[in-house]
């Protein structure tokens, strides 16, 4: 039974929370006028509770259209709100069952700034690395032309050229990743996943052949998703390229694709070196590479899986991996089917 004492306790707990949390809270009554605003929201919106009390939202917040959308709507709504003084909040609004509306504002200015600074930094590093690494590669080639070099010198120059090529590759991948992450427009056309997979295989036939790796395909026909065929091909290419790179000679690879419950499900399974659970937690993070000797012996920049995750996310899909050290790995991704 709810007694007066319990109600009083709830009220004082609510008041304590309402007055002290750092998220802003605004409450409208069932007639749609402003009822309460907590100190955090008042600070964000540069107003006082007295100024807003019993007023219609558009008479007080007329210059904040995002906030008005949240306050005046009927449905649950989440959106970014531009606040005074160039701050930005994530706003969440819901109409209460007994009438009235509740809006919560979370100030995310610092988080947003950090994200955009991080992206800028990566793009800058990418650009700044490209030219010097091309120059190093060019001069390494010139040294051999202007020889003669002894065997040792020849080996060292070859290492310089190899490292410069790797650096250039990482720089290109980082710039590309920054582009896709920053919202570069992607195509949104029907894409046959079977064709995408076959194209990716064509691009890696040489590598598979050199390592005598057989690639088996079990792909259901006509799996169609909406998206950017080149970018989806890049996802399959990156997964297959890794499966080849991190397998020994002769270890087979199986690619499966099925349509199930409104989703396309694709998996790339290898019998290669596998990964620890610690690695599995981090491989989709930019520039992460496993510590093992076997991985360090393979050239790579740790960007391929991050790119795959970002591309799939932008298509409304997701990716995960299972793996056992010494037994192999399976990467699986899903995408919504075209309707
Ligand atoms: P890269 O392969 O260039 O290092 P990725 O982002 O594609 O970058 O992969 C990140 C890391 O995940 C790799 O360095 C490796 O440690 C691990 N990894 C990815 N694919 C596999 C695989 N098929 N088998 C074992 N380890 C893998």
């Amino acid at each position: 039974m709810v007694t007066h004492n319990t109600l009083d306790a709830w009220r004082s707990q609510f008041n304590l929370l309402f007055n002290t949390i750092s998220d802003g809270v605004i409450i409208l009554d069932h007639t749609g006028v402003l009822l309460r605003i907590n100190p955090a929201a008042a600070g964000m919106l540069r107003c006082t509770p007295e100024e807003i009390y019993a007023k219609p939202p558009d008479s007080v917040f007329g210059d904040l259209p995002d906030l008005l959308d949240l306050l005046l709507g009927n449905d649950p709504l989440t959106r970014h709100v531009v606040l005074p003084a160039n701050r930005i909040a994530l706003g969440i609004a819901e109409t209460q069952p007994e009438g009235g509306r509740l809006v919560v504002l979370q100030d995310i200015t610092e988080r947003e700034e950090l994200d955009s600074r991080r992206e800028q930094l990566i793009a800058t590093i990418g650009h700044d690395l490209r030219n010097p690494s091309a120059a190093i590669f060019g001069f390494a080639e010139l040294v051999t032309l202007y020889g003669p070099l002894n065997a040792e010198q020849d080996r060292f120059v070859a290492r310089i050229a190899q490292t410069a090529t790797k650096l250039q590759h990482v720089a290109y991948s980082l710039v590309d990743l920054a582009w896709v992450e920053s919202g570069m427009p992607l195509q949104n056309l029907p894409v046959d996943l079977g064709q995408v997979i076959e194209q990716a295989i064509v691009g890696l036939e040489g590598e598979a052949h050199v390592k005598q790796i057989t690639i088996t395909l079990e792909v259901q026909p006509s799996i169609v998703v909406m998206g950017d065929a080149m970018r989806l091909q890049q996802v399959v290419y990156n997964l297959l390229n890794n499966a080849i790179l991190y397998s020994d000679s002769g270890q087979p690879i199986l690619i499966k694709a099925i349509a199930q419950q409104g989703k396309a499900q694709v998996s790339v399974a290898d019998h290669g070196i596998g990964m620890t659970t610690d690695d599995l937690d981090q491989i989709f993070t930019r520039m992460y590479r496993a510590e093992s000797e076997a991985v360090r012996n393979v050239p790579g920049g740790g960007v391929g899986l991050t790119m795959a995750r970002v591309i799939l996310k932008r298509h409304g899909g997701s990716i995960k991996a299972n793996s056992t050290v010494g037994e192999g790995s399976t990467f699986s991704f899903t995408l919504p089917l075209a309707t």
Side-chain angles (χ1 to χ4, degrees), residues 238-239 242-243 245-246 270 273-275 279 283 288-290 295 299-306 323 329 331:
N238 288 356
L239 297 184
N242 281 347
L245 284 174
Y246 301 115
D270 65 55
I273 60 172
M275 273 169 277
D279 293 332
I283 47 172
Y288 179 82
R289 305 199 74 210
V295 169
V303 184
L305 289 180
T306 312
S323 188
S329 314
F331 285 82

Side-chain angles (χ1 to χ4, degrees), residues 19 28 64 93 178 257 264 309:
N19 289 320
L28 300 180
L64 299 173
R309 179 179 57 78

Side-chain angles (χ1 to χ4, degrees), residues 129-196:
L129 272 179
R130 267 193 310 200
N131 290 342
S133 58
I136 295 170
F137 183 81
F139 281 116
E141 287 220 306
L142 280 182
V143 172
T144 49
L145 286 179
Y146 283 79
L149 304 179
N150 66 31
E152 283 272 86
Q153 288 167 330
D154 212 29
R155 199 161 54 83
F156 293 152
V157 172
R159 278 298 288 276
I160 293 172
Q162 256 174 28
T163 312
T165 311
K166 179 180 156 188
L167 209 60
Q168 228 178 344
H169 182 74
V170 175
Y172 275 112
S173 319
L174 281 176
V175 174
D176 198 26
L177 180 63
W179 267 105
V180 178
E181 276 189 326
S182 67
M184 169 201 206
L186 299 182
Q187 285 198 329
N188 191 31
L189 296 171
V191 178
D192 184 317
L193 267 190
Q195 279 176 15
V196 161

